[in-house]
Amino acid sequence: MRSVVSLVLCFVLTGGQAFAACKADLLSVEEWSARRLDDQNMEVQVVVKSAAQKPIRMLDADFGFRDALGGHVAADAFDRDIDIPAGGSVRAVKKWPTTFERLLKLKHEEVMAYACVRGVVYEDGTKEEFK
């Protein structure tokens, strides 16, 4: 049952990206880590850096991981109400089921982390959407 749920979750998380435009250079994943919490859960942390000239107060964006051959490993959405200073960095922490444990098994250098931004609201109220 868990494998079916993880397969559906992977499809949902990656399927949206296939059909939506993405601004890949507005945010970059500077560092990441993954660790097992218990038999059923793991924790993933990513430090994301903004290339925006203004502070971000709302975000429609995902982060994810690909293996050395470009294959999908895992993905998730950033919290929508994340605050990111102009040109600054923040740490996002997510709790995932261990169905994404491949991230724990791969060597760190075999994994490429990425960010995909579909929309952003800046602190001054201006909005950008990438379609």
Side-chain angles (χ1 to χ4, degrees):
M1 178 66 178
R2 230 191 285 174
S3 61
V4 172
V5 171
S6 66
L7 181 61
V8 169
L9 186 58
C10 280
F11 179 75
V12 168
L13 290 174
T14 60
Q17 283 185 353
F19 301 109
C22 176
K23 183 153 180 72
D25 60 352
L26 189 62
L27 296 179
S28 60
V29 177
E30 300 256 289
E31 43 181 281
W32 66 272
S33 65
R35 68 183 182 100
R36 182 180 302 280
L37 294 174
D38 55 40
D39 288 344
Q40 297 177 348
N41 299 291
M42 60 188 277
E43 178 185 84
V44 175
Q45 293 189 29
V46 295
V47 175
V48 64
K49 181 171 177 59
S50 171
Q53 300 299 310
K54 301 186 266 187
I56 295 171
R57 72 171 181 197
M58 190 183 308
L59 190 63
D60 178 10
D62 297 330
F63 66 92
F65 303 94
R66 298 197 184 284
D67 64 23
L69 295 174
H72 174 76
V73 177
D76 201 349
F78 284 105
D79 290 336
R80 201 164 182 86
D81 296 323
I82 194 169
D83 288 318
I84 307 174
S89 299
V90 296
R91 180 177 306 271
V93 180
K94 294 286 192 160
K95 185 175 173 182
W96 285 355
T98 53
T99 51
F100 296 111
E101 70 182 330
R102 182 165 184 245
L103 193 58
L104 298 171
K105 293 178 182 179
L106 292 169
K107 294 179 182 176
H108 200 272
E109 62 271 12
E110 294 175 337
V111 177
M112 181 193 76
Y114 63 89
C116 170
V117 180
R118 289 176 298 284
V120 62
V121 176
Y122 297 101
E123 191 59 43
D124 66 4
T126 57
K127 178 173 79 169
E128 282 188 285
E129 292 183 280
F130 310 102
K131 298 182 180 203

